[in-house]
Amino acid sequence: MSNSEDHDHDHDHDHDHDHDHTALPSELELRVKALESLLIEKGLVNPETLNEIIDTYEHRVGPRNGAQVVAKAWTSAEFRQALLTDATDAVASLGFMGRQGEHLKVVANSDDVHNLVVCTLCSCYPWTVLGLPPAWYKSAPYRSRAVSEPRAVLAEFGTHLADTTRVQVWDSTAELRYLVLPQRPAGTEGWSEAQLAELVTRNAMIGVEVVNPPETNEVRG
Amino acid sequence: MIGAHDLGGKQGFGRVLSARNLDAIASDSPEPLFHAEWERRAFALTLATGMLGQWNIDESRHARENQEPQRYLDNSYYETWLVGLQKLLYAKGLLEPEELESLPFAASVDIATNRSIQRHDRSTIEPPTPAKAAELLARGGPTSLPDFRQPKYAVGAKVQVLPMTHAGHTRAPQYVHGATGIIYAINGVHIYPDANAHRRDEDTIVGEILYTVSFARVALFPSYASYAASGGEVSEDKRVRGSVTTTDASTIDKGDIKECNQDRVFVDLWEPYLTHD
């Protein structure tokens, strides 16, 4: 059977398509190029707009936004409270708003609770704070297993929780978009927001990892 | 529809982090957003044409998920986006069948499935400028509606998810059909996808109360090995289930990882999906 892990472009398995699979990426390249030309020619797409869209998600909207949100919540009890009450508003106060972030929810980890986000039906993800999702987040293994065996999935990411910590999985089936607020690691007392933001990983904000304490011998400027 | 896209709880897909995804383990080594130039272009074309306002997000999701299951599972992520885009361009009358057929490798798209979607007059369509596009991306498209009707269920109420009663688009995943959960939050009225994905121009937008419903993971997926976080002793019943799971060919080597009875799964569900338990 097909192995979905290979899916993004390693089409090395047998199936019923009528073309040679090793050539698939270039077929797609040609088809998309032809479609783009056709849409431009028909006046349905402005080519400059395509570049604007790509630039937005490649350079301006990404997980550093979310890291900034998390670092602020770690240093300001007031902001943390605002974030947990109305995440859309609180995140907008930092200038992050827009598509796939219209209705944000922030779920906070604690010693007792660990949160994990998935979209089992497609690939819903909080773009305004995390950018576009990584390939594994959109993959069949993650989408199928995150709800049924979350601890086995977490273990694959090297995350092992205490037996007493409850896992809460959030399946983004509507337009609410979930961001995990990880626990602030020990050894970061007195750190600035900017220093803390550097520790926050995309994976921790999806919930497949925790934020690790800094290397003890690392000199922080 | 209960299609191949409805993946929650399905088995046999293997590890999340396959060899080609290993770079994703190290959060500090950013995975490329796009793995080929065509993915980048397909993404941008999808967003740019979406801004023409000819279809909504639910129609767009339905165009992607409404594929033959084997094809859905076989397609890469952006291949499915491309399938959806081409179907919508055809179904809304923005591209003629012969135009789509003139593209190279046309056989890879099945456009027949969406012929029921209403066609539009395209004479008034104006593609957004880069500045307009930036504004649209920054504004987004909220789905909440200014409707303050009384929710049928209170926070804490026990509810049951109804079985699917139609073959169209839905956002109630199969793994909660028939399951009992507890209302965790009431999120106001949001556009109802089951109606919106099939809405014609003359139809009004339907909104329904959107709840976040909390389910016990072990009740949804009793076949996974589990322990009771509070108790210590695993019951005989759970041991049996655990042994069944480990001999299941569809499971993978998970070492000694056990799932916990106390874990919860939260799903956002609209009022028509629910009934009193």
Side-chain angles (χ1 to χ4, degrees), chain B residues 30-46:
Chain B
E31 185 194 7
L33 288 181
F34 305 104
H35 296 83
E37 178 59 18
W38 73 265
E39 292 191 355
R40 186 179 280 109
R41 309 312 292 181
F43 168 77
L45 285 172
T46 299

Side-chain angles (χ1 to χ4, degrees), chain B residues 14-179:
Chain B
R15 294 178 66 83
V16 175
L17 298 171
S18 59
R20 65 171 306 273
N21 271 344
L22 279 177
D23 56 344
I25 295 179
S27 306
D28 292 338
S29 65
E31 185 194 7
L33 288 181
F34 305 104
H35 296 83
E37 178 59 18
W38 73 265
E39 292 191 355
R40 186 179 280 109
R41 309 312 292 181
F43 168 77
L45 285 172
T46 299
L47 264 65
T49 51
M51 289 172 184
L52 300 173
Q54 300 300 298
W55 53 80
N56 64 54
I57 192 164
D58 298 303
E59 287 176 295
S60 175
R61 287 204 181 106
H62 192 52
R64 288 176 200 162
E65 71 198 15
N66 192 12
Q67 297 182 59
E68 290 168 23
Q70 67 270 32
R71 186 156 286 182
Y72 180 91
L73 290 171
D74 213 19
N75 280 343
S76 73
Y77 181 73
Y78 283 112
E79 276 180 272
T80 282
W81 274 44
L82 191 59
V83 167
L85 173 60
Q86 293 172 107
K87 278 195 214 173
L88 290 166
L89 288 169
Y90 164 74
K92 297 291 184 176
L94 299 187
L95 290 185
E96 296 305 320
E98 54 272 21
E99 289 175 318
L100 273 176
E101 277 155 26
S102 75
L103 299 175
F105 311 107
S108 64
V109 178
D110 171 22
I111 54 176
T113 47
N114 271 40
R115 284 211 169 114
S116 59
I117 293 180
Q118 191 171 19
R119 297 170 72 86
H120 288 249
D121 169 19
R122 68 159 179 260
S123 58
T124 55
I125 292 172
E126 189 67 45
T129 61
K132 180 70 183 167
E135 188 194 316
L136 289 171
L137 292 179
R139 194 195 309 155
T143 54
S144 53
L145 297 173
D147 181 331
F148 301 98
R149 82 186 74 168
Q150 204 54 33
K152 211 160 150 186
Y153 310 105
V155 169
K158 227 173 158 189
V159 290
Q160 191 183 14
V161 185
L162 293 162
M164 273 293 284
T165 53
H166 64 82
H169 180 65
T170 190
R171 297 293 287 178
Q174 187 185 17
Y175 73 87
V176 297
H177 294 176

Side-chain angles (χ1 to χ4, degrees), chain A residues 33-215:
Chain A
K33 205 166 272 180
L35 179 63
E36 180 178 333
S37 302
L38 182 59
L39 290 170
I40 291 170
E41 186 189 314
K42 295 190 66 136
L44 292 169
V45 161
N46 177 334
E48 292 302 313
T49 297
L50 297 177
N51 296 333
E52 170 69 25
I53 291 167
I54 291 165
D55 190 52
T56 298
Y57 293 102
E58 283 197 322
H59 301 117
R60 280 175 262 155
V61 178
R64 298 338 296 161
N65 293 4
Q68 216 177 305
V69 172
V70 168
K72 195 171 180 65
W74 283 348
T75 52
S76 161
E78 195 188 345
F79 182 75
R80 181 190 157 95
Q81 191 50 51
L83 197 59
L84 297 178
T85 308
D86 186 339
T88 316
D89 266 10
V91 166
S93 75
L94 300 185
F96 309 135
M97 58 189 102
R99 193 187 166 93
Q100 292 299 305
E102 295 92 343
H103 307 284
L104 281 180
K105 296 277 178 188
V106 168
V107 286
N109 288 349
S110 67
D111 289 343
D112 301 326
V113 173
H114 181 90
N115 293 286
L116 178 69
V117 180
V118 64
C119 173
T120 62
L121 295 174
C122 49
S123 55
C124 297
Y125 192 70
W127 287 15
T128 49
V129 279
L130 295 184
L132 302 180
W136 61 259
Y137 182 87
K138 305 177 287 192
S139 72
Y142 185 72
R143 286 164 54 190
S144 61
R145 294 176 53 218
V147 285
S148 57
E149 42 175 354
R151 284 171 199 260
V153 169
L154 289 171
E156 278 191 40
F157 286 85
T159 303
H160 299 273
L161 303 171
D163 285 357
T164 49
T165 300
R166 194 172 73 190
V167 174
Q168 298 191 148
V169 184
W170 301 84
D171 188 357
S172 321
T173 49
E175 301 307 325
L176 311 184
R177 295 288 167 269
Y178 292 92
L179 180 78
V180 174
L181 176 56
Q183 284 187 283
R184 179 172 174 168
T188 59
E189 294 74 17
W191 283 35
S192 71
E193 261 180 62
Q195 287 173 311
L196 289 167
E198 279 180 43
L199 287 181
V200 182
T201 62
R202 174 197 68 203
N203 286 3
M205 293 182 281
I206 301 172
V208 289
E209 291 172 5
V210 297
V211 177
N212 290 311
E215 301 284 336

